Amino acid sequence: MAVSQNDNVTWLTQEAYDRLKEEYEYLSGPGRTDIAKKIEAAREEGDLRENGGYHAAKDEQGKMEARIFHLRQILDNARVGEAPRAEGVVGPGMTVTVRFDGDDEEVTFLLASREESGAPIDVYSPNSPLGSAINGKKIGEKATYTLPNGRQNTVEILEAVPYIGN
C-alpha cells in the first residue's frame, strides 16, 4: 500500500499506538458506561440545579468525550513506524538542534507527536509554530515563526538526525 505524504499523518511507535488504542477502547466502551452510571446516580439525588455531583459527572463526561474525539483523530491519521527521513533535513522523528537568533545557547528536541511523551528529551509537535516553521529545512538554514504573543522568532538549524530512542 502506498502512503502519500500528508501533513495530517501522525507517526507513532508501535508502543505509543497500542497505548493510545487501549485508552480509546476503554474510554469509548467501559468509560462511557461508568460515567453514564455516575450521572444517573447523581440525577437520582434530586434537584439538578444544586447537585454538585451531577455537574461534576457531566464535566467529566465532556472531557472524556473530547479525549475520545482527539484519540480517534490521532488513530485515524496514525502510521506506525518511522517517518521517511533524510539526515540533515528536519522532519517528524528527527532529533533537531537549533540556535535562536540573539542567543548562543543550543536547544535539542525530538520533532514528533506529543503522544510520544515517553521520550527522554523534550518533544515538539510538527504542528506547533516552531515545528511547522522548521519542517523540511536543512542544516544551516534559518526559519522564522510567530510566537503566541504575536512576536516573530528566528532559529537556525544546526543538526537534524534520526531519533534512535533511549
Side-chain angles (χ1 to χ4, degrees), residues 85-96 109-112 160-163:
R85 53 196 178 186
E87 191 162 330
V89 179
V90 176
M94 300 293 282
T95 301
V96 182
F109 54 89
L110 171 61
L111 190 65
V161 296
Y163 176 69

Side-chain angles (χ1 to χ4, degrees), residues 74-95:
I74 291 170
L75 293 169
D76 283 349
N77 294 307
R79 299 287 184 273
V80 176
E82 296 183 6
R85 53 196 178 186
E87 191 162 330
V89 179
V90 176
M94 300 293 282
T95 301

